[in-house]
Amino acid sequence: MTSLFEYAPAPESRSLVDIRPSYGLFIDGEFDDGTGTPLKTVNPATEEVLSEVATGSTEDVDRAVRAARRAFTRVWGPMRPADRGKYLFRIARLLQERAREFAVLETLDNGKPIRESRDVDVPLAAAHFFYHAGWADKLEHAGLGPAPRPLGVAGQVIPWNFPLLMLAWKVAPALATGNTVVLKPAETTPLTALLFAEVCRQADLPPGVVNIVTGAGETGRAVISHPDVDKVAFTGSTEVGRSIARAVAGTAKKLTLELGGKAANIVFDDAPVDQAVEGIVRGIFFNQGHVCCAGSRLLVQESVHDEVVAALQRRIGTLRVGDPMDKNTDLGAINSHPQLERIRELVAAGDAEGAQRWQPEGELPARGYWFKPTVFTDVSPAHRIARDEVFGPVLSVMTFRTPDEAVAKANNTTYGLSAGIWSEKGSRILSTTAKLRAGVVWANTFNEFDPTSPFGGYKQSGYGREGGRQGLAAYLKGDA
Ligand code: NAD
Ligand code: MG
């Protein structure tokens, strides 16, 4: 894309990772081929096949659950909590030591910019293990009852947008609370989970405590519906979340669902415009907009609408879209061809329904899956681009006149995961926040994550919280 400044290429080295031609399932501390038909994972920036990965059948999932049960009953459940904590600390340190390798592998398999995998995904994944390592021997002080007990085996299914980070969000609290896990990564991004399996071996984690079964939706279904799984944790689409809720209903399984979102990012007329523009960009273009809590609906006070939109377009003109391995890249590739098609379909609906589309000048790479950063103005709340989750770099701009109208429009969604507020007045921020039906509200920032802070949704964004003291409750028995 054209840009204000030209930079020399600054590619990260691919030789930091050794990608094997094929990978197996990680069950009971060993890798094996599994009995399903292997799948190929590609680099979405080039369409190059990176590796062939085993697929777990129902029988493979059953072996993994049995290994997890044995490890829970014989080793991990009875272990002194302080000793469990030591394993978690060891995993956290290994993630740090191998951070560059993880970042490069994540970028190759997912398409996200190396700057993000290096500065956000991998450090936050390590932070989740450090944070939960600290909880392992202090659970009776978490306010969840005097002697909280683990549930047993957790079946966990995660999406492709933050492959390693979502793994950390799932595995760290499960292990810290004394559970064992069977985790299924997304079919387009299995590689960092398999590198994590190597880290588990390096950390001498007892076999069966963490099992990783790769595959697509069928494998996920086998994990969540296995009768010997005590806890199901899912992050992904609302549609699949609903089917999981149905499958789990009437069983004793405990369930947490982290689903989609359509967050409002509210800019009041007293907000510092340049700072707000940075937050808008971070809200919707971070990770190509493949973010469940992305600030995809911009609500701007009418009197500053033109000024904010003009500043935003100027800023978007400086974003660098292209090779994710280049350290100067701001927007990488769309994760898969089906996801690109979903984005195109919703953008076409925006055009057809009469919103005004704006995209910066410039060419996209010829190979791979790409979409330009896109801003729609003249959006009405009834438009599909104002209601449906695009899960791509597409912003819908709407206006409001009064604070009450901002709140009404922000809450006019079937989702409720996150929101943002831009204002110089602390009192306005606090009064608005209290009226928003969203699990996370950011003030004068956006897309900030921290393991100490609970994350989760209202309404169709799901239920349960991940992170913080609250996130531990999902993995413990009792009044928790
Ligand atoms: P998805 O929900 O189909 O996939 C998420 C995970 O669930 C993957 O690991 C997948 O293999 C697994 N899965 C699929 N069907 C399953 C089933 N029946 N039982 C158990 N597991 C199953 O999401 P997707 O198709 O990759 O993306 C579709 C849309 O979902 C996106 O456009 C986006 O709106 C949304 N999404 C949201 C998040 C999020 O973080 N909340 C993440 C990814 C996708
Ligand atoms: Mg891939």
Side-chain angles (χ1 to χ4, degrees):
M1 312 263 306
T2 52
S3 170
L4 223 55
F5 309 102
E6 274 316 314
Y7 296 79
E12 176 58 289
S13 167
R14 188 187 163 136
S15 65
L16 290 162
V17 293
D18 181 18
I19 302 180
R20 293 203 290 272
S22 67
Y23 286 87
L25 311 173
F26 183 62
I27 297 177
D28 212 12
E30 302 292 335
F31 289 96
D32 69 63
D33 287 345
T35 53
T37 314
L39 57 89
K40 292 183 169 58
T41 187
V42 304
N43 176 350
T46 59
E47 300 176 52
E48 166 207 3
V49 174
L50 293 170
S51 186
E52 201 171 83
V53 177
T55 295
S57 64
T58 309
E59 296 78 61
D60 298 322
V61 168
D62 183 54
R63 275 193 302 125
V65 173
R66 280 190 280 123
R69 174 63 58 192
R70 271 196 309 277
F72 174 70
T73 323
R74 297 184 192 164
V75 188
W76 198 248
M79 189 182 284
R80 278 190 340 124
D83 289 333
R84 283 190 214 125
K86 285 182 199 166
Y87 283 103
L88 286 157
F89 276 121
R90 208 180 280 170
I91 290 171
R93 284 194 301 267
L94 286 166
L95 286 175
Q96 286 186 321
E97 274 168 30
R98 302 181 70 171
R100 255 182 108 184
E101 194 182 346
F102 270 103
V104 169
L105 190 60
E106 195 76 304
T107 284
L108 290 172
D109 202 15
N110 170 281
K112 64 176 69 202
I114 187 73
R115 195 161 52 82
E116 291 179 5
S117 49
R118 181 195 65 196
D119 297 350
V120 183
D121 298 61
V122 178
L124 271 177
H128 267 268
F129 279 95
F130 277 118
Y131 173 73
H132 286 94
W135 269 123
D137 62 353
K138 302 173 195 70
L139 295 174
E140 67 273 29
H141 307 294
L144 303 170
R149 280 170 303 129
L151 300 170
V153 176
Q156 308 178 317
V157 177
I158 56 171
W160 42 262
N161 52 341
F162 294 93
L164 180 70
L165 184 57
M166 288 301 106
L167 173 150
W169 280 32
K170 297 281 181 283
V171 173
L175 263 46
T177 46
N179 300 274
T180 57
V181 311
V182 176
L183 176 123
K184 194 201 81 67
E187 52 270 44
T188 58
T189 55
L191 296 183
T192 47
L194 295 165
L195 187 58
F196 179 81
E198 282 178 27
V199 162
C200 291
R201 297 231 297 203
Q202 216 182 332
D204 274 329
L205 191 70
V209 174
V210 168
N211 303 275
I212 296 185
V213 183
T214 40
E218 277 306 301
T219 311
R221 206 202 311 264
V223 170
I224 63 103
S225 53
H226 194 290
D228 203 32
V229 160
D230 303 293
K231 150 84 192 169
V232 171
F234 173 75
T235 298
S237 63
T238 297
E239 191 190 344
V240 173
R242 261 194 220 112
S243 83
I244 291 177
R246 276 196 295 272
V248 166
T251 72
K253 290 172 190 169
K254 210 164 166 172
L255 175 65
T256 41
L257 294 173
E258 204 271 272
L259 309 176
K262 192 74 190 173
N265 201 358
I266 306 171
V267 179
F268 285 104
D269 58 5
D270 63 337
V273 170
D274 288 342
Q275 199 184 323
V277 163
E278 288 309 307
I280 295 163
V281 166
R282 183 185 178 129
I284 188 63
F285 301 126
F286 170 60
N287 203 34
Q288 296 73 246
H290 300 327
V291 184
C292 46
C293 52
S296 53
R297 289 185 299 147
L298 181 65
L299 299 179
V300 193
Q301 199 148 12
E302 202 174 77
S303 54
V304 293
H305 171 271
D306 293 355
E307 183 190 356
V308 169
V309 169
L312 180 62
Q313 291 177 350
R314 268 198 309 277
R315 178 67 180 93
I316 293 171
T318 68
L319 293 177
R320 303 180 68 84
V321 184
D323 182 6
M325 288 287 276
D326 193 308
K327 294 168 194 159
N328 291 321
T329 291
D330 297 303
L331 262 87
I334 300 302
N335 178 255
S336 66
H337 193 257
Q339 188 60 29
L340 181 60
E341 287 300 310
R342 265 194 287 268
I343 296 169
R344 285 182 177 148
E345 200 242 318
L346 272 163
V347 165
D351 289 339
E353 290 182 323
Q356 291 305 311
R357 174 161 51 90
W358 179 89
Q359 290 169 318
E361 300 284 311
E363 292 298 312
L364 292 172
R367 282 187 70 76
Y369 316 129
W370 303 93
F371 202 83
K372 281 191 181 183
T374 301
V375 178
F376 276 108
T377 50
D378 292 335
V379 176
S380 115
H383 288 166
R384 277 187 71 197
I385 50 167
R387 291 182 289 118
D388 294 357
E389 187 179 38
V390 181
F391 224 63
V394 180
L395 180 68
S396 296
V397 185
M398 288 170 279
T399 59
F400 66 88
R401 288 185 183 168
T402 64
D404 282 348
E405 192 189 344
V407 169
K409 281 189 167 160
N411 287 336
N412 180 16
T413 168
T414 56
Y415 293 109
L417 194 53
S418 63
I421 303 172
W422 296 84
S423 169
E424 268 202 334
K425 295 191 186 68
S427 56
R428 176 173 272 175
I429 289 170
L430 292 173
S431 70
T432 309
T433 303
K435 294 175 198 143
L436 291 175
R437 295 275 295 159
V440 181
V441 181
W442 287 291
N444 293 330
T445 185
F446 211 95
N447 276 341
E448 284 289 350
F449 305 98
D450 191 294
T452 66
S453 176
F455 184 91
Y458 285 85
K459 302 191 270 185
Q460 288 190 25
S461 292
Y463 41 79
R465 294 292 178 266
E466 295 187 293
R469 191 180 62 77
Q470 292 82 350
L472 300 169
Y475 289 93
L476 291 166
K477 258 187 204 152
D479 31 306

